Amino acid sequence: MPALFFEGALLGLSTGFYCLTACLPLLAPYLMAEGRALWKENVKILLQFLGGRLAAYLIFAVLASLAGQAGKYVMPGWLLPAATAACGLTMAALAVFRISAGPSACLLKADLNPFFKRLPLAIGFVTGINICPPFAAGLLRLLEIADVPRGVAYFTGFFCATSLFVSPVLLGTPWLGPRANDIGRLTLLLAGLWYAALGLTGLLTGQWA
Amino acid sequence: MKPLRVEREKILPAALFALLVLVPAFYFSGLIAGREISRYYALAWSLFAAAIAFAIAYTERVAFYRRIFFGVSALAFLFHFKTGLFVDTFEASCFKDTPFCHIAIAPAFLNYLYQQYLALMSPGWKLWGPLTLGAAWVFVTLALGRGWCAWACFYGGIDDALSARPGRPLLKLGWFERKFRDLPAALLVFLLLASFAYMLPVYCLWLCPFKLTGAFLDAEAPARKIQYALMGLAMTALVLGPLLTRKRIFCSYLCPFAAWQAFWGRLNPFRVTADAGKCTSCLVCVAACPMAAIRCAPGGQPEILAYCNLCGQCLDACPGGGFSYTVFGLELPARLSPFGRLLAVKYFYVFSALTLAAVFSALWGPAALRDLTLLVRGGQ
Ligand code: SF4
Ligand code: SF4
């Protein structure tokens, strides 16, 4: 089992750069919009995000291992575009709510609906189920392993190593001020609209089928 | 109409100032344009810049004459380069191989850094950007800062010239101006991330109104249609926006380079500074600023935002003369003699901006003059 954990970690270390490019456009706007000049708050956001990713990886690990056992692999193709669209729309809705609430000073008073506070979890989940080249390589290996506990160990290793590439995003956050938050909200709106359009296009054109 | 009165004591200092601009402008534009066409065209272009310098020093009005130079330069670019894309007679002589666009550089900066990393790992790294385009950008930023968008950008001149057309705005931006003034900064952050994620120039593909071609758009029909629609939207913002609002809508809300330069432009020492003591809260400056870069701060005083590109429009507009060019907020001691007047920050700035803009536009200005000559002569 440890051997499989390290094998997954090795794959993650060698390909983590791709994870960074896939995660940043979703995570960074949220952090910029909702982050504070306090490590503690921003670490909470990152942990939620990583939690969402881990959940997605583990679900995949179980599904892929089971599919490997059955000798075939079936994945709900609509899941990625649907999750992307839902996540994008929520990001855009949060941004609109924040922007329309007025300048940043007053915003601190308007607290967020707890639903929005869990958004990083959803963002993490969407980036987790996004099949990038390293992720696809991991999936193939899982089909080969075809064993649930060993598959979970493999993807936990992959998750830990790729998280090392994403975590430095926190380094910039202690400088987040109200103005950066204002810019972040508009960025969140743009990113939300972009991902909503991407997801809806995927669903409408059935490109996942 | 006021009778034209020649102020003799101003002629010699203005001529000296024009000469100071002419000499470096001609030397460098001769080098640039002279590679492909006769240096007489470079001389003509430099004389045009010198005439603008003369007019500014003589009348002491920066914004009006700056706008003439900026607009003509942008028109020359459109005429020479963009028509060259479609008409063989005017085959573009500059940028033959690589279209250069500063607007595209900012949102693809992370990709650029990544390429530098790859280049560093390969034996040919010396050939890469930092020594060429990167160095040029650092130089421009140090010499001109945000003034780039008021003097040199070949696209901004279109927006700027059009924003001068209507006498009064037909459409007031109101809450949009307050809520969305940071849109270029947000666009820049988003485009940096998206370009990095897709390893593609996302701005060029999806938004740029200037490409005027669908040659490199997405091959898939639905995406292509959206790309055309967004290009149309950006083009509307560029042409109709300033005509309706008297603001440079594209530059103020959709250009990622504006945010980029607003950030890095702080390295440049020149500023436009408002003197609160002279302000009567008439808000004329807020209406006059084409970049929507003046906000009414609490207490009714003008607050100049980082998006100010030092165009000088507010200097001309303020009835109390409350705005001035400064170095980090400081003016030089006033000198009243005709030649001593030239030792004001304003003229150091105009010299720096106009000379650089004249040299940079030598990439297309002289060639456009040649095209025009060909056209008049019947296209041989
Ligand atoms: S804002 Fe953009 S388009 Fe406008 S002048 Fe500046 S660089 Fe050019
Ligand atoms: S604040 Fe003044 S100098 Fe700056 S962009 Fe506006 S009008 Fe031009």
Side-chain angles (χ1 to χ4, degrees):
Chain A
M1 203 87 86
L4 273 169
F5 176 89
F6 284 112
E7 193 188 322
L10 213 60
L11 176 71
L13 279 181
S14 55
T15 56
F17 179 77
Y18 284 97
C19 299
L20 185 69
T21 59
C23 294
L24 271 187
L26 281 147
L27 174 64
Y30 185 87
L31 258 178
M32 232 179 127
E34 297 297 318
R36 298 273 168 269
L38 273 177
W39 285 99
K40 213 174 78 186
E41 292 297 317
N42 306 332
V43 169
K44 270 191 217 161
I45 294 177
L46 183 72
L47 286 179
Q48 278 196 60
F49 171 80
L50 293 180
R53 258 181 88 228
L54 181 63
Y57 282 5
L58 293 183
I59 291 172
F60 255 108
V62 172
L63 280 180
S65 307
L66 287 175
Q69 272 171 348
K72 61 183 169 58
Y73 175 60
V74 188
M75 189 180 69
W78 50 265
L79 183 65
L80 180 61
T84 308
C87 194
L89 287 172
T90 319
M91 283 162 74
L94 170 62
V96 169
F97 166 70
R98 287 300 213 185
I99 293 166
S100 59
S104 41
C106 320
L107 261 184
L108 296 174
K109 290 180 209 143
D111 207 6
L112 265 188
N113 183 314
F115 170 73
F116 285 123
K117 285 201 166 150
R118 297 286 163 263
L119 187 55
L121 211 62
I123 293 177
F125 186 79
V126 167
T127 57
I129 58 170
N130 184 14
I131 304 186
C132 58
F135 192 78
L139 269 179
L140 288 178
R141 179 77 177 103
L142 274 188
L143 290 176
E144 213 177 286
I145 298 169
D147 177 83
V148 173
R150 290 169 40 144
V152 167
Y154 181 84
F155 253 55
T156 311
F158 181 72
F159 165 80
C160 290
T162 49
S163 298
L164 289 179
F165 286 82
V166 181
S167 304
V169 76
L170 273 186
L171 291 179
T173 58
W175 287 275
L176 284 176
R179 191 159 148 65
N181 286 153
D182 284 344
I183 296 173
R185 276 163 206 140
L186 289 168
T187 313
L188 190 69
L189 178 65
L190 293 172
L193 292 175
W194 173 267
Y195 283 102
L198 218 61
L200 290 175
T201 314
L203 280 177
L204 292 176
T205 57
Q207 271 168 0
W208 42 269
Chain B
M1 229 172 108
K2 265 202 293 185
L4 202 64
R5 197 175 67 82
V6 177
E7 295 177 71
R8 283 169 194 268
E9 73 284 0
K10 284 186 173 177
I11 291 180
L12 273 182
L16 173 68
F17 187 63
L19 193 67
L20 287 174
V21 170
L22 177 68
V23 173
F26 177 53
Y27 177 74
F28 289 108
S29 4
L31 287 182
I32 293 170
R35 290 174 308 172
E36 291 170 353
I37 54 177
S38 161
R39 281 180 191 233
Y40 285 115
Y41 293 113
L43 178 63
W45 188 249
S46 310
L47 282 171
F48 168 55
I52 295 290
F54 180 89
I56 290 175
Y58 182 79
T59 61
E60 299 181 40
R61 291 178 67 192
V62 177
F64 181 77
Y65 296 101
R66 174 204 62 81
R67 197 168 244 169
I68 294 177
F69 177 83
F70 197 33
V72 170
S73 168
L75 211 62
F77 178 80
L78 267 190
F79 183 59
H80 174 64
F81 182 57
K82 292 294 181 183
T83 50
L85 290 177
F86 301 109
V87 190
D88 283 349
T89 324
F90 304 126
E91 190 202 346
S93 59
C94 329
F95 316 117
K96 230 181 237 162
D97 305 317
T98 328
F100 162 83
C101 177
H102 53 281
I103 303 179
I105 293 175
F109 188 66
L110 293 180
N111 306 43
Y112 172 80
L113 283 184
Y114 180 60
Q115 284 169 353
Q116 296 311 306
Y117 163 76
L118 293 181
L120 208 64
M121 296 295 150
S122 76
W125 70 272
K126 278 188 189 166
L127 300 175
W128 283 73
L131 302 175
T132 50
L133 268 188
W137 171 74
V138 170
F139 177 73
V140 164
T141 303
L142 289 176
L144 201 51
R146 289 163 282 179
W148 171 269
C149 298
W151 293 86
C153 173
F154 32 84
Y155 296 134
I158 304 167
D159 226 14
D160 192 38
L162 290 176
S163 72
R165 294 314 308 146
R168 53 178 56 240
L170 296 171
L171 204 68
K172 290 236 165 88
L173 292 173
W175 66 270
F176 182 86
E177 189 171 321
R178 282 194 307 280
K179 299 276 183 189
F180 288 89
R181 187 58 191 87
D182 278 323
L183 195 59
L187 202 61
L188 176 64
V189 176
F190 171 68
L191 289 169
L192 278 169
L193 298 170
S195 306
F196 192 46
Y198 294 96
M199 284 292 158
L200 282 172
V202 174
Y203 173 79
C204 306
L205 288 174
W206 289 86
L207 207 57
C208 173
F210 301 115
K211 52 185 178 280
L212 294 180
T213 164
F216 55 90
L217 295 187
D218 222 286
E220 282 179 34
R224 204 179 171 83
K225 274 187 195 145
I226 301 176
Q227 285 168 338
Y228 269 125
L230 286 176
M231 184 167 111
L233 187 87
M235 213 168 324
T236 311
L238 177 78
V239 178
L240 272 188
L243 288 176
L244 292 175
T245 62
R246 288 198 100 226
K247 302 280 178 206
R248 290 171 64 177
I249 294 293
F250 180 82
C251 299
S252 306
Y253 297 98
L254 289 177
C255 178
F257 192 80
W260 176 262
Q261 213 55 2
F263 183 78
W264 292 107
R266 291 158 217 248
L267 295 174
N268 178 273
F270 295 114
R271 303 276 184 274
V272 163
T273 308
D275 180 347
K278 292 182 181 167
C279 177
T280 54
S281 303
C282 67
L283 298 186
V284 167
C285 58
V286 176
C289 176
M291 291 298 289
I294 305 180
R295 198 157 41 196
C296 188
Q301 307 300 324
E303 178 194 350
I304 301 178
L305 306 181
Y307 298 108
C308 162
N309 62 24
L310 292 88
C311 70
Q313 231 43 66
C314 52
L315 273 83
D316 284 2
C318 178
F323 292 84
S324 55
Y325 285 108
T326 60
V327 170
F328 291 122
L330 300 172
E331 243 296 12
L332 291 173
R335 290 181 174 81
L336 296 175
S337 69
F339 282 96
R341 268 187 326 110
L342 292 181
L343 295 174
V345 173
K346 175 160 99 175
Y347 293 105
F348 284 107
Y349 167 69
V350 171
F351 170 77
S352 165
L354 182 55
T355 310
L356 204 141
V359 171
F360 180 66
S361 55
L363 282 167
W364 61 85
L369 289 176
R370 192 243 359 225
D371 293 345
L372 205 62
T373 317
L374 279 180
L375 191 70
V376 172
R377 282 200 197 150
Q380 335 91 24

